[in-house]
mmCIF file of all heavy atoms in Angstrom:
data_model
loop_
_atom_site.group_PDB
_atom_site.id
_atom_site.type_symbol
_atom_site.label_atom_id
_atom_site.label_comp_id
_atom_site.label_asym_id
_atom_site.label_seq_id
_atom_site.Cartn_x
_atom_site.Cartn_y
_atom_site.Cartn_z
ATOM 1 N N PRO B 43 -80.228 -138.754 20.330
ATOM 2 C CA PRO B 43 -80.334 -138.314 21.721
ATOM 3 C C PRO B 43 -79.099 -138.708 22.523
ATOM 4 O O PRO B 43 -78.483 -139.742 22.293
ATOM 5 C CB PRO B 43 -81.581 -139.044 22.229
ATOM 6 C CG PRO B 43 -81.747 -140.201 21.324
ATOM 7 C CD PRO B 43 -81.180 -139.816 20.000
ATOM 8 N N SER B 44 -78.708 -137.834 23.431
ATOM 9 C CA SER B 44 -77.659 -138.168 24.389
ATOM 10 C C SER B 44 -78.096 -137.617 25.743
ATOM 11 O O SER B 44 -79.060 -136.856 25.813
ATOM 12 C CB SER B 44 -76.330 -137.544 23.971
ATOM 13 O OG SER B 44 -76.388 -136.150 24.141
ATOM 14 N N GLU B 45 -77.377 -137.988 26.765
ATOM 15 C CA GLU B 45 -77.817 -137.611 28.105
ATOM 16 C C GLU B 45 -77.855 -136.091 28.271
ATOM 17 O O GLU B 45 -78.778 -135.534 28.847
ATOM 18 C CB GLU B 45 -76.882 -138.233 29.142
ATOM 19 C CG GLU B 45 -77.559 -138.417 30.488
ATOM 20 C CD GLU B 45 -76.601 -138.960 31.518
ATOM 21 O OE1 GLU B 45 -75.746 -139.794 31.139
ATOM 22 O OE2 GLU B 45 -76.697 -138.546 32.679
ATOM 23 N N ALA B 46 -76.817 -135.423 27.735
ATOM 24 C CA ALA B 46 -76.745 -133.968 27.877
ATOM 25 C C ALA B 46 -77.887 -133.292 27.140
ATOM 26 O O ALA B 46 -78.492 -132.334 27.627
ATOM 27 C CB ALA B 46 -75.407 -133.463 27.357
ATOM 28 N N LYS B 47 -78.193 -133.830 25.943
ATOM 29 C CA LYS B 47 -79.254 -133.196 25.160
ATOM 30 C C LYS B 47 -80.617 -133.383 25.818
ATOM 31 O O LYS B 47 -81.508 -132.567 25.635
ATOM 32 C CB LYS B 47 -79.287 -133.801 23.762
ATOM 33 C CG LYS B 47 -78.209 -133.280 22.849
ATOM 34 C CD LYS B 47 -78.422 -133.892 21.496
ATOM 35 C CE LYS B 47 -77.201 -133.702 20.616
ATOM 36 N NZ LYS B 47 -77.269 -134.582 19.454
ATOM 37 N N ASP B 48 -80.779 -134.483 26.553
ATOM 38 C CA ASP B 48 -82.089 -134.750 27.155
ATOM 39 C C ASP B 48 -82.333 -133.954 28.428
ATOM 40 O O ASP B 48 -83.448 -133.932 28.930
ATOM 41 C CB ASP B 48 -82.212 -136.245 27.477
ATOM 42 C CG ASP B 48 -82.545 -137.019 26.221
ATOM 43 O OD1 ASP B 48 -82.994 -136.358 25.263
ATOM 44 O OD2 ASP B 48 -82.360 -138.244 26.187
ATOM 45 N N SER B 49 -81.290 -133.306 28.947
ATOM 46 C CA SER B 49 -81.520 -132.523 30.161
ATOM 47 C C SER B 49 -82.355 -131.302 29.814
ATOM 48 O O SER B 49 -82.242 -130.747 28.725
ATOM 49 C CB SER B 49 -80.195 -132.115 30.786
ATOM 50 O OG SER B 49 -79.521 -131.234 29.931
ATOM 51 N N PRO B 50 -83.241 -130.923 30.745
ATOM 52 C CA PRO B 50 -84.187 -129.851 30.421
ATOM 53 C C PRO B 50 -83.498 -128.535 30.103
ATOM 54 O O PRO B 50 -83.957 -127.765 29.277
ATOM 55 C CB PRO B 50 -85.034 -129.726 31.682
ATOM 56 C CG PRO B 50 -84.618 -130.796 32.613
ATOM 57 C CD PRO B 50 -83.419 -131.468 32.084
ATOM 58 N N TYR B 51 -82.376 -128.256 30.766
ATOM 59 C CA TYR B 51 -81.709 -126.983 30.525
ATOM 60 C C TYR B 51 -80.232 -127.257 30.435
ATOM 61 O O TYR B 51 -79.584 -127.569 31.428
ATOM 62 C CB TYR B 51 -82.039 -126.003 31.660
ATOM 63 C CG TYR B 51 -81.422 -124.653 31.463
ATOM 64 C CD1 TYR B 51 -81.831 -123.839 30.420
ATOM 65 C CD2 TYR B 51 -80.422 -124.193 32.302
ATOM 66 C CE1 TYR B 51 -81.266 -122.598 30.222
ATOM 67 C CE2 TYR B 51 -79.850 -122.958 32.112
ATOM 68 C CZ TYR B 51 -80.279 -122.167 31.068
ATOM 69 O OH TYR B 51 -79.715 -120.938 30.878
ATOM 70 N N GLU B 52 -79.698 -127.165 29.224
ATOM 71 C CA GLU B 52 -78.328 -127.605 28.998
ATOM 72 C C GLU B 52 -77.433 -126.377 28.927
ATOM 73 O O GLU B 52 -77.559 -125.549 28.026
ATOM 74 C CB GLU B 52 -78.285 -128.392 27.687
ATOM 75 C CG GLU B 52 -77.106 -129.309 27.578
ATOM 76 C CD GLU B 52 -75.992 -128.667 26.805
ATOM 77 O OE1 GLU B 52 -76.230 -128.256 25.669
ATOM 78 O OE2 GLU B 52 -74.888 -128.572 27.350
ATOM 79 N N CYS B 53 -76.553 -126.203 29.947
ATOM 80 C CA CYS B 53 -75.752 -124.988 29.960
ATOM 81 C C CYS B 53 -74.303 -125.261 30.322
ATOM 82 O O CYS B 53 -73.556 -124.351 30.644
ATOM 83 C CB CYS B 53 -76.349 -123.985 30.933
ATOM 84 S SG CYS B 53 -76.320 -124.570 32.618
ATOM 85 N N GLY B 54 -73.878 -126.517 30.263
ATOM 86 C CA GLY B 54 -72.476 -126.804 30.533
ATOM 87 C C GLY B 54 -72.235 -127.282 31.947
ATOM 88 O O GLY B 54 -71.349 -128.093 32.190
ATOM 89 N N ILE B 55 -72.998 -126.792 32.875
ATOM 90 C CA ILE B 55 -72.884 -127.238 34.267
ATOM 91 C C ILE B 55 -73.846 -128.399 34.453
ATOM 92 O O ILE B 55 -74.978 -128.333 33.954
ATOM 93 C CB ILE B 55 -73.251 -126.089 35.228
ATOM 94 C CG1 ILE B 55 -72.388 -124.877 34.921
ATOM 95 C CG2 ILE B 55 -73.119 -126.524 36.668
ATOM 96 C CD1 ILE B 55 -72.889 -123.609 35.534
ATOM 97 N N PRO B 56 -73.437 -129.469 35.145
ATOM 98 C CA PRO B 56 -74.379 -130.574 35.372
ATOM 99 C C PRO B 56 -75.639 -130.069 36.079
ATOM 100 O O PRO B 56 -75.558 -129.271 37.015
ATOM 101 C CB PRO B 56 -73.595 -131.538 36.275
ATOM 102 C CG PRO B 56 -72.171 -131.206 36.037
ATOM 103 C CD PRO B 56 -72.106 -129.753 35.695
ATOM 104 N N ALA B 57 -76.783 -130.521 35.596
ATOM 105 C CA ALA B 57 -78.043 -130.032 36.153
ATOM 106 C C ALA B 57 -78.238 -130.557 37.569
ATOM 107 O O ALA B 57 -77.643 -131.557 37.966
ATOM 108 C CB ALA B 57 -79.196 -130.469 35.265
ATOM 109 N N ALA B 58 -79.058 -129.860 38.329
ATOM 110 C CA ALA B 58 -79.379 -130.292 39.685
ATOM 111 C C ALA B 58 -80.043 -131.665 39.614
ATOM 112 O O ALA B 58 -80.716 -131.979 38.620
ATOM 113 C CB ALA B 58 -80.301 -129.284 40.343
ATOM 114 N N PRO B 59 -79.891 -132.486 40.638
ATOM 115 C CA PRO B 59 -80.423 -133.854 40.560
ATOM 116 C C PRO B 59 -81.945 -133.913 40.473
ATOM 117 O O PRO B 59 -82.486 -134.891 40.002
ATOM 118 C CB PRO B 59 -79.929 -134.494 41.870
ATOM 119 C CG PRO B 59 -79.556 -133.355 42.746
ATOM 120 C CD PRO B 59 -79.115 -132.258 41.858
ATOM 121 N N TYR B 60 -82.620 -132.870 40.911
ATOM 122 C CA TYR B 60 -84.075 -132.907 40.821
ATOM 123 C C TYR B 60 -84.495 -131.965 39.705
ATOM 124 O O TYR B 60 -83.825 -130.980 39.427
ATOM 125 C CB TYR B 60 -84.720 -132.492 42.141
ATOM 126 C CG TYR B 60 -83.977 -131.389 42.848
ATOM 127 C CD1 TYR B 60 -84.228 -130.059 42.544
ATOM 128 C CD2 TYR B 60 -83.005 -131.699 43.789
ATOM 129 C CE1 TYR B 60 -83.514 -129.056 43.163
ATOM 130 C CE2 TYR B 60 -82.300 -130.705 44.417
ATOM 131 C CZ TYR B 60 -82.545 -129.382 44.108
ATOM 132 O OH TYR B 60 -81.842 -128.397 44.710
ATOM 133 N N HIS B 61 -85.618 -132.240 39.081
ATOM 134 C CA HIS B 61 -86.002 -131.416 37.935
ATOM 135 C C HIS B 61 -87.011 -130.363 38.322
ATOM 136 O O HIS B 61 -87.451 -129.585 37.508
ATOM 137 C CB HIS B 61 -86.527 -132.289 36.808
ATOM 138 C CG HIS B 61 -87.699 -133.122 37.195
ATOM 139 N ND1 HIS B 61 -87.551 -134.318 37.873
ATOM 140 C CD2 HIS B 61 -89.012 -132.931 37.028
ATOM 141 C CE1 HIS B 61 -88.746 -134.821 38.096
ATOM 142 N NE2 HIS B 61 -89.643 -134.004 37.612
ATOM 143 N N TRP B 62 -87.424 -130.343 39.582
ATOM 144 C CA TRP B 62 -88.362 -129.304 39.972
ATOM 145 C C TRP B 62 -87.837 -128.686 41.254
ATOM 146 O O TRP B 62 -87.650 -129.374 42.249
ATOM 147 C CB TRP B 62 -89.754 -129.895 40.218
ATOM 148 C CG TRP B 62 -90.757 -128.817 40.357
ATOM 149 C CD1 TRP B 62 -91.025 -128.093 41.476
ATOM 150 C CD2 TRP B 62 -91.583 -128.290 39.346
ATOM 151 N NE1 TRP B 62 -91.966 -127.152 41.211
ATOM 152 C CE2 TRP B 62 -92.333 -127.243 39.922
ATOM 153 C CE3 TRP B 62 -91.769 -128.583 37.994
ATOM 154 C CZ2 TRP B 62 -93.256 -126.502 39.190
ATOM 155 C CZ3 TRP B 62 -92.690 -127.858 37.292
ATOM 156 C CH2 TRP B 62 -93.421 -126.829 37.880
ATOM 157 N N SER B 63 -87.548 -127.395 41.210
ATOM 158 C CA SER B 63 -87.059 -126.778 42.438
ATOM 159 C C SER B 63 -87.970 -125.610 42.793
ATOM 160 O O SER B 63 -88.545 -124.967 41.927
ATOM 161 C CB SER B 63 -85.624 -126.305 42.263
ATOM 162 O OG SER B 63 -85.535 -125.515 41.111
ATOM 163 N N GLN B 64 -88.070 -125.369 44.077
ATOM 164 C CA GLN B 64 -88.909 -124.253 44.522
ATOM 165 C C GLN B 64 -88.259 -122.927 44.138
ATOM 166 O O GLN B 64 -87.052 -122.796 44.179
ATOM 167 C CB GLN B 64 -89.016 -124.286 46.041
ATOM 168 C CG GLN B 64 -90.103 -125.179 46.537
ATOM 169 C CD GLN B 64 -90.058 -125.234 48.044
ATOM 170 O OE1 GLN B 64 -89.244 -125.940 48.608
ATOM 171 N NE2 GLN B 64 -90.909 -124.469 48.668
ATOM 172 N N ILE B 65 -89.068 -121.955 43.797
ATOM 173 C CA ILE B 65 -88.496 -120.644 43.524
ATOM 174 C C ILE B 65 -88.664 -119.768 44.760
ATOM 175 O O ILE B 65 -89.435 -120.066 45.657
ATOM 176 C CB ILE B 65 -89.137 -119.964 42.295
ATOM 177 C CG1 ILE B 65 -90.628 -119.742 42.514
ATOM 178 C CG2 ILE B 65 -88.874 -120.747 41.048
ATOM 179 C CD1 ILE B 65 -91.199 -118.695 41.626
ATOM 180 N N GLN B 66 -87.912 -118.682 44.757
ATOM 181 C CA GLN B 66 -87.952 -117.747 45.885
ATOM 182 C C GLN B 66 -89.301 -117.058 45.990
ATOM 183 O O GLN B 66 -89.913 -116.707 44.987
ATOM 184 C CB GLN B 66 -86.892 -116.672 45.666
ATOM 185 C CG GLN B 66 -85.514 -117.093 46.064
ATOM 186 C CD GLN B 66 -85.307 -116.969 47.552
ATOM 187 O OE1 GLN B 66 -86.178 -116.484 48.254
ATOM 188 N NE2 GLN B 66 -84.161 -117.433 48.024
ATOM 189 N N ILE B 67 -89.717 -116.824 47.221
ATOM 190 C CA ILE B 67 -91.014 -116.180 47.416
ATOM 191 C C ILE B 67 -90.977 -114.730 46.975
ATOM 192 O O ILE B 67 -92.010 -114.141 46.679
ATOM 193 C CB ILE B 67 -91.454 -116.312 48.887
ATOM 194 C CG1 ILE B 67 -92.947 -116.037 48.995
ATOM 195 C CG2 ILE B 67 -90.689 -115.358 49.788
ATOM 196 C CD1 ILE B 67 -93.594 -116.631 50.186
ATOM 197 N N ARG B 68 -89.788 -114.148 46.886
ATOM 198 C CA ARG B 68 -89.757 -112.718 46.557
ATOM 199 C C ARG B 68 -90.232 -112.418 45.144
ATOM 200 O O ARG B 68 -90.614 -111.297 44.849
ATOM 201 C CB ARG B 68 -88.372 -112.129 46.792
ATOM 202 C CG ARG B 68 -87.252 -112.865 46.147
ATOM 203 C CD ARG B 68 -85.955 -112.126 46.380
ATOM 204 N NE ARG B 68 -85.228 -112.635 47.514
ATOM 205 C CZ ARG B 68 -83.919 -112.923 47.472
ATOM 206 N NH1 ARG B 68 -83.246 -112.728 46.372
ATOM 207 N NH2 ARG B 68 -83.311 -113.387 48.531
ATOM 208 N N TYR B 69 -90.258 -113.444 44.264
ATOM 209 C CA TYR B 69 -90.828 -113.218 42.935
ATOM 210 C C TYR B 69 -92.297 -112.820 43.039
ATOM 211 O O TYR B 69 -92.828 -112.142 42.180
ATOM 212 C CB TYR B 69 -90.736 -114.477 42.079
ATOM 213 C CG TYR B 69 -89.353 -114.821 41.619
ATOM 214 C CD1 TYR B 69 -88.641 -115.830 42.229
ATOM 215 C CD2 TYR B 69 -88.771 -114.133 40.567
ATOM 216 C CE1 TYR B 69 -87.374 -116.154 41.809
ATOM 217 C CE2 TYR B 69 -87.504 -114.448 40.135
ATOM 218 C CZ TYR B 69 -86.811 -115.457 40.769
ATOM 219 O OH TYR B 69 -85.550 -115.781 40.348
ATOM 220 N N TYR B 70 -92.933 -113.303 44.100
ATOM 221 C CA TYR B 70 -94.377 -113.113 44.238
ATOM 222 C C TYR B 70 -94.754 -111.636 44.326
ATOM 223 O O TYR B 70 -95.800 -111.234 43.821
ATOM 224 C CB TYR B 70 -94.860 -113.860 45.489
ATOM 225 C CG TYR B 70 -96.236 -114.439 45.329
ATOM 226 C CD1 TYR B 70 -96.472 -115.403 44.363
ATOM 227 C CD2 TYR B 70 -97.288 -114.030 46.118
ATOM 228 C CE1 TYR B 70 -97.731 -115.938 44.203
ATOM 229 C CE2 TYR B 70 -98.547 -114.565 45.959
ATOM 230 C CZ TYR B 70 -98.752 -115.518 45.002
ATOM 231 O OH TYR B 70 -99.995 -116.040 44.834
ATOM 232 N N VAL B 71 -93.895 -110.817 44.961
ATOM 233 C CA VAL B 71 -94.166 -109.377 45.055
ATOM 234 C C VAL B 71 -94.375 -108.789 43.675
ATOM 235 O O VAL B 71 -95.314 -108.016 43.442
ATOM 236 C CB VAL B 71 -92.975 -108.643 45.695
ATOM 237 C CG1 VAL B 71 -93.371 -107.221 46.017
ATOM 238 C CG2 VAL B 71 -92.471 -109.378 46.885
ATOM 239 N N PHE B 72 -93.492 -109.190 42.754
ATOM 240 C CA PHE B 72 -93.585 -108.614 41.424
ATOM 241 C C PHE B 72 -94.856 -109.079 40.729
ATOM 242 O O PHE B 72 -95.480 -108.312 40.002
ATOM 243 C CB PHE B 72 -92.330 -108.968 40.629
ATOM 244 C CG PHE B 72 -91.112 -108.349 41.223
ATOM 245 C CD1 PHE B 72 -90.308 -109.065 42.095
ATOM 246 C CD2 PHE B 72 -90.802 -107.025 40.965
ATOM 247 C CE1 PHE B 72 -89.203 -108.475 42.673
ATOM 248 C CE2 PHE B 72 -89.701 -106.430 41.545
ATOM 249 C CZ PHE B 72 -88.899 -107.154 42.400
ATOM 250 N N ALA B 73 -95.247 -110.324 41.001
ATOM 251 C CA ALA B 73 -96.497 -110.814 40.418
ATOM 252 C C ALA B 73 -97.681 -110.001 40.936
ATOM 253 O O ALA B 73 -98.571 -109.632 40.172
ATOM 254 C CB ALA B 73 -96.682 -112.288 40.749
ATOM 255 N N ILE B 74 -97.672 -109.710 42.251
ATOM 256 C CA ILE B 74 -98.792 -108.964 42.833
ATOM 257 C C ILE B 74 -98.838 -107.543 42.262
ATOM 258 O O ILE B 74 -99.900 -107.046 41.859
ATOM 259 C CB ILE B 74 -98.669 -108.942 44.368
ATOM 260 C CG1 ILE B 74 -98.961 -110.335 44.925
ATOM 261 C CG2 ILE B 74 -99.625 -107.934 44.967
ATOM 262 C CD1 ILE B 74 -98.645 -110.478 46.380
ATOM 263 N N ILE B 75 -97.666 -106.902 42.188
ATOM 264 C CA ILE B 75 -97.630 -105.541 41.638
ATOM 265 C C ILE B 75 -98.090 -105.556 40.181
ATOM 266 O O ILE B 75 -98.830 -104.677 39.738
ATOM 267 C CB ILE B 75 -96.219 -104.951 41.786
ATOM 268 C CG1 ILE B 75 -95.916 -104.756 43.269
ATOM 269 C CG2 ILE B 75 -96.093 -103.638 41.047
ATOM 270 C CD1 ILE B 75 -94.521 -104.322 43.551
ATOM 271 N N PHE B 76 -97.676 -106.604 39.466
ATOM 272 C CA PHE B 76 -98.107 -106.728 38.066
ATOM 273 C C PHE B 76 -99.629 -106.791 37.966
ATOM 274 O O PHE B 76 -100.234 -106.127 37.128
ATOM 275 C CB PHE B 76 -97.478 -107.979 37.456
ATOM 276 C CG PHE B 76 -98.154 -108.447 36.198
ATOM 277 C CD1 PHE B 76 -98.195 -107.647 35.074
ATOM 278 C CD2 PHE B 76 -98.773 -109.686 36.150
ATOM 279 C CE1 PHE B 76 -98.830 -108.071 33.930
ATOM 280 C CE2 PHE B 76 -99.405 -110.117 35.007
ATOM 281 C CZ PHE B 76 -99.433 -109.304 33.899
#
Side-chain angles (χ1 to χ4, degrees):
Chain B
S44 70
E45 205 183 324
K47 282 184 194 165
D48 281 342
S49 66
Y51 182 67
E52 201 263 304
C53 64
I55 305 165
Y60 37 86
H61 58 279
W62 191 278
S63 52
Q64 274 175 281
I65 61 160
Q66 279 279 355
I67 197 157
R68 52 176 96 132
Y69 288 103
Y70 214 62
V71 190
F72 295 96
I74 289 170
I75 293 174
F76 162 62

